[in-house]
Amino acid sequence: MLCARRLGSLAAGLAALRPGRAARGSLGAGIQARRVSTSWSPVGAAFNVKPQGRRLDLFGERRGLFGVPELNAPEGFYIAQEEALRKTELLVERACSTPPGPQTVLIFDELSDALCRVADLADFVKIAHPEPAFREAAEETCRSIGTMVEKLNTNVELYQSLQKLLSDKKLMDSLDVETRRVAELFMFDFEISGIHLDEEKRKRAVDLNVKILDLSSKFLMGTNFPNKIEKHLLPDHIRHNFVRDGDHVVVDGLHAEAPNDLVREAAYRIFLHPNASQLKYLEELLSNRDLLAKLVGYSTFSHRALQGTIAQKPETVMQFLEKLSDKLCERTIKDFEMMRQMKMKLNPQNSELMPWDPPYYSGVIRAERYNIEPSLYCPFFSLGACMEGLNILFNKLLGISLYAEQPAKGEVWCEDVRKLAVVHESEGLLGYIYCDFFQRADKPYQDCHFTIRGGRLKEDGDYQLPVVVLMLNLPHSSRNSPTLLTPGMMENLFHEMGHAMHSMLGRTRYQHVTGTRCPTDFAEVPSILMEYFSNDYRVVNQFARHYQTGQPLPKNMVSRLCESKKVCAAADMQLQVFYATLDQIYHGEHPLRKPTTDILKETQEKFYGLPYVPNTAWQLRFSHLVGYGAKYYSYLMSRAVASMVWKECFLQDPFNRAAGERYRREMLAHGGGKEPMLMVQGPDLLSATFIFSNHTDKITKPFKSHHVL
């Protein structure tokens, strides 16, 4: 999952749940290769040993988070925020006084960068830092920067400085394609923010946007809060499966893989029990999004959100989802019947298939048919081996190597965070990836990618290197073994690294369209493509070695694993169709015709097939409604595109350097600077409608659910 949220026209990359695009290869020629650091070490070894901690240094300078000097204490966020706002005022004055031309776009992009460099970082820290003081300071900074962004989006004088450029045809024709597109994107963001409205309505639009940001933050936090229940209400024999807190037990998830049916049922009913405050946040969030959309001229929030995407409009999305659901229907029914039979075999007293059953029973069926017990695979997938596998793949495909680098004191928020330098064989240092891979208390249980700083070509000719964070939830190493990954964890690692490499290789001139800042239904393509590599024996054979014996993973084990993914794949994908449809309905016509829970019940029974469980409200845990509002279908769409890229470029040879360079040049290297349709067009791929109508077969293949609820 990609974390990057758009805060209006000037903050195209705030960390929340979005993907992006890459940059022009031609820029590389003007960027000096950076020297190789002697402090770098091999990536595989760095991840298979415990961090030794920092050497005792009583007098060394504490650099601050991500090397930002101000952020050596929570108060530093206020300093960074005020400096960004001060710089913003100067750049606004400069933009409004500069004659229209290419310089106008550069100033707008510098303005975007000044705000994003603080907001992106704060957006990550507010959810991931272990210290409450840092999280609270970052939250306040997000609110302040977000408010400024929305004010700028409705600043008439600033808008007019850009409008002068866009209305001058001769000037626009003289601009290169990327500069012209970035100018149009800035204008587009003004328009969807209500710049055309009168002053009173513009102020109303700002207020709504700020309120939506606040509600989004509150709702997102609530999606992860555990629920408590008095322990005497649970049967004695299952209490030990949950954390105890005095006279209560704490349920912090669905326990979807628990072999005991009663444990899964209890977790489902308790964790998804409705919370009045969370329901209020969701209802207000949906209502305010609809009010904003209508205020700025759209019939629904979905119509507004889908502007600029491949789909373009919600009608196309619903056509796509309904057609996909029809294609899946028969196979889904067969999958559910298989699961029912397995449940009857293991639990004859209660064989009705319920929503808490599919993850467990589909896993049992896979294991029984193909002998793919995760414990058989884990010894071959040490974290270090998997990282070395990624290193080998990137080196062969793209001439890129990953090196571990020791962070400075205060640079990382937890001692087990690793820092990677991404280095090209001829272009030098491309950027940095901070790997926050391990479980810890209060860390969100989500695998995702955060943009911390976007890349851009600076006025002095240097390139501002991108910085990202990958956040996973892997187990720590033990005294006797390194961190060992299940096949699913390994695939997730490859998926998230696809986002990271997109950020590294999206070397656009403008920060506004760098790396993973692109239409959402194109954003997951690079990450899903990496899943194909993770399931190809030719790739896996390069790195999967038993951590004790060095024995390679037998080919038949990889074959069994790949075959097993076809089991119950239709039901897995049908679940995604249900989520995407629910998202569209919630962001469609308002007022909603029914309460959100009634809509959930109705949609679940129509698009999934398993019964709704009374007194549950799964939608209150649907965190993607924040970052992927009206765009959850994007996972399914991106899978279709990734399938085409794999078949055309890498199916014959996953290490083909020419194909890798073509993939970088034609897809990764354009960032948001090129229309997605222009990057994926081929003789059989002519329009968005054609893709959505005729390529559902490309995604009715084994699909890995990234959202486990």
Side-chain angles (χ1 to χ4, degrees), residues 141-294:
T141 291
C142 285
R143 189 176 293 111
S144 296
I145 297 290
T147 300
M148 172 55 74
V149 167
E150 299 310 336
K151 287 179 179 177
L152 292 175
N153 284 346
T154 54
N155 183 313
V156 174
E157 191 178 1
L158 189 62
Y159 159 76
Q160 289 173 342
S161 69
L162 185 63
Q163 178 61 30
K164 289 175 185 175
L165 171 63
L166 270 77
S167 62
D168 190 323
K169 186 177 183 307
K170 186 176 179 181
L171 261 180
M172 286 296 287
D173 289 345
S174 71
L175 301 179
D176 63 85
V177 174
E178 186 180 20
T179 301
R180 191 159 59 243
R181 175 162 169 78
V182 171
E184 290 167 350
L185 286 173
F186 278 122
M187 178 56 70
F188 170 71
D189 285 326
F190 274 122
E191 290 169 349
I192 66 170
S193 297
I195 194 66
H196 55 286
L197 303 174
D198 61 40
E199 185 176 358
E200 183 180 343
K201 289 181 178 177
R202 287 199 306 274
K203 185 179 183 305
R204 172 69 173 148
V206 170
D207 292 341
L208 281 170
N209 266 309
V210 171
K211 188 173 183 181
I212 287 167
L213 286 173
D214 188 49
L215 288 166
S216 295
S217 180
K218 289 176 179 176
F219 178 77
L220 194 59
M221 294 296 288
T223 60
N224 289 310
F225 282 156
N227 278 341
K228 287 185 179 182
I229 187 172
E230 293 179 18
K231 66 182 182 183
H232 72 84
L233 296 174
L234 285 180
D236 291 346
H237 68 285
I238 69 168
R239 290 178 194 167
H240 69 277
N241 291 277
F242 305 100
V243 175
R244 297 189 185 188
D245 181 12
D247 292 331
H248 293 78
V249 295
V250 179
V251 181
D252 59 1
L254 292 174
H255 292 247
E257 306 297 333
N260 187 314
D261 286 358
L262 191 55
V263 170
R264 294 195 311 279
E265 178 179 355
Y268 190 95
R269 291 183 181 277
I270 296 167
F271 189 63
L272 300 184
H273 188 76
N275 176 286
S277 296
Q278 185 74 345
L279 181 60
K280 182 171 180 287
Y281 293 147
L282 175 60
E283 290 173 345
E284 289 187 10
L285 175 62
L286 297 177
S287 175
N288 279 277
R289 280 176 170 175
D290 181 71
L291 289 173
L292 175 64
K294 287 185 168 67

Side-chain angles (χ1 to χ4, degrees), residues 23-33 426-427 430 457 463 507 664:
R24 296 181 178 281
S26 60
L27 283 179
I31 302 166
Q32 288 187 330
S426 61
E427 297 170 34
L430 299 181
L457 188 62
Y463 198 80
R507 295 172 74 80
R664 177 184 180 181

